Amino acid sequence: MASSTPSPLLKQPVKLACVQLATGPDKAANLSRAADKVREAASSGAKIVVLPECFNSPYGCAHFPQYAEPLLPSPPSPEQSPSFHALSAMARDNGVYLIGGSIPELYTAPSTAANGKEEEETKTYFNTSLIFSPSGSLLATHRKVHLFDIDIPGGITFKESDVLSPGNKLTVVDLPEYGRISVAICYDVRFPELAMIAARKGCFALVYPGAFNLTTGPLHWRLLGQARAVDNQVYVALCSPARDMSADYHAWGHSMVVDPMAKVLVEAEETETIVTADLDGDMIEAARKGIPLRDQRRFDVYPDVSQGKARYEE
């Protein structure tokens, strides 16, 4: 008789590290600093390492076109995308799964007029995360699905859509020794449907490189990390840049890892640092046995969003 015990989402314990990186206007220096910090995280025993949103550049609409790199066709040449090759080397040299934060991506496509003649090429920009294996091979690409367009009177006004285009898929990544994770970027964390679908596709962790600011950070950063964890009874990792008050955009910092019961296991302050946490599949199963949401959902009352027409890559 087949066992009714669910197979573990996380096949074996693993240490995850969030690198809260200090970045500046020099892309080469940012890449070099990231390599040093990934090496440091790996030396602590981390096998999954996360970099922050826009780790290779300043964050801001004025900066995206200047720092954007073409990623397609893949793999790009080192001249086209130094960040792609730097990330691949970081993963390979340290034998880690690397969630490469995000970088501005340039996608160029020729426009064709009605008469069939080619017109000027059109340029599209994305906020894109690259995920690499311990061998340095590209496992997945996530383009930020929900763009950061907000206007809080007396707080912050920001409109990514002035420059960026949105991605159109949820990203699930298989790490063969451990299981599945989902990667999304910053503002994506505010949309619970994305997390629910990923969790119901069998992910043991939701990973969000992000750069919340000094208005939304103290209000919602921790709250959203805990909400996505308690909603789905999985681990959640949030990885921010370090705060730089001399930059155009002031990141909140406070990178953290939250467990399946929504307990914050580790949290940074605002300066450059590395935070690590040990993830254990038994913790996921204990949470789901103690509060058995998976057996109590009422899909006769409301739909299961994971059974819809969601676009996702795995």
Side-chain angles (χ1 to χ4, degrees):
M1 182 177 177
S3 171
S4 60
T5 303
S7 58
L9 294 182
L10 177 53
K11 299 173 187 178
Q12 60 176 312
V14 63
K15 179 174 284 190
L16 179 146
C18 291
V19 177
Q20 187 161 290
L21 190 70
T23 61
D26 185 331
K27 182 188 287 188
N30 293 336
L31 295 177
S32 177
R33 193 165 188 83
D36 290 343
K37 293 300 178 181
V38 170
R39 188 179 309 112
E40 184 180 336
S43 69
S44 75
K47 296 298 183 184
I48 302 172
V49 180
V50 187
L51 290 169
E53 183 179 24
C54 285
F55 83 95
N56 72 339
S57 69
Y59 177 80
C61 290
H63 302 294
F64 296 142
Q66 176 186 352
Y67 287 84
E69 301 177 9
L71 300 174
L72 295 173
S74 187
S77 71
E79 293 72 30
Q80 290 173 313
S81 182
S83 300
F84 179 102
H85 289 274
L87 288 168
S88 175
M90 291 178 216
R92 182 187 66 245
D93 294 348
N94 296 287
V96 297
Y97 287 102
L98 182 61
I99 292 87
S102 77
I103 66 171
E105 176 193 355
L106 167 64
Y107 177 73
T108 305
S111 295
T112 304
N115 61 9
K117 293 183 179 179
E118 280 197 359
E119 295 182 337
E120 239 182 87
E121 292 181 325
T122 58
K123 293 182 178 180
T124 305
Y125 299 96
F126 299 97
N127 189 344
T128 302
S129 183
L130 300 168
I131 300 95
F132 289 89
S133 76
S135 68
S137 61
L138 181 68
L139 292 177
T141 300
H142 178 78
R143 289 171 169 168
K144 190 173 187 175
V145 172
H146 303 93
L147 297 183
F148 181 52
D149 287 6
I150 68 166
D151 184 6
I152 302 175
I156 183 172
T157 298
F158 201 97
K159 195 172 182 183
E160 276 188 328
S161 65
D162 281 345
V163 175
L164 299 177
S165 294
N168 61 3
K169 65 176 179 63
L170 180 154
T171 302
V172 172
V173 190
D174 185 38
L175 316 183
E177 304 96 314
Y178 303 111
R180 289 177 158 187
I181 63 169
S182 182
V183 177
I185 299 171
C186 198
Y187 200 56
D188 286 338
V189 74
R190 290 188 179 272
F191 297 86
E193 297 89 345
L194 209 63
M196 288 177 186
I197 295 168
R200 293 178 198 171
K201 297 296 182 184
C203 293
F204 69 82
L206 310 175
V207 180
Y208 297 93
F212 273 40
N213 54 73
L214 300 191
T215 299
T216 60
L219 285 171
H220 299 147
W221 176 255
R222 176 195 278 247
L223 174 66
L224 286 164
Q226 290 181 297
R228 298 294 80 84
V230 78
D231 284 348
N232 299 291
Q233 298 176 311
V234 295
Y235 287 96
V236 172
L238 307 176
C239 187
S240 170
R243 192 179 307 167
D244 179 1
M245 294 305 293
S246 69
D248 298 340
Y249 183 91
H250 305 143
W252 173 236
H254 291 266
S255 297
M256 67 177 62
V257 181
V258 185
D259 82 4
M261 288 293 281
K263 177 183 176 182
V264 176
L265 298 177
V266 62
E267 179 177 357
E269 294 186 355
E270 72 277 6
T271 57
E272 183 174 77
T273 189
I274 299 170
V275 293
T276 64
D278 293 310
L279 314 189
D280 190 331
D282 289 344
M283 290 294 296
I284 301 173
E285 195 51 35
R288 294 181 176 196
K289 283 182 178 177
I291 306 175
L293 302 181
R294 63 185 168 198
D295 303 319
Q296 296 172 332
R297 291 191 174 93
R298 291 289 306 276
F299 295 136
D300 60 322
V301 176
Y302 44 79
D304 179 356
V305 294
S306 70
Q307 298 303 310
K309 295 181 179 179
R311 297 185 62 178
Y312 76 100
E313 175 185 291
E314 58 176 339

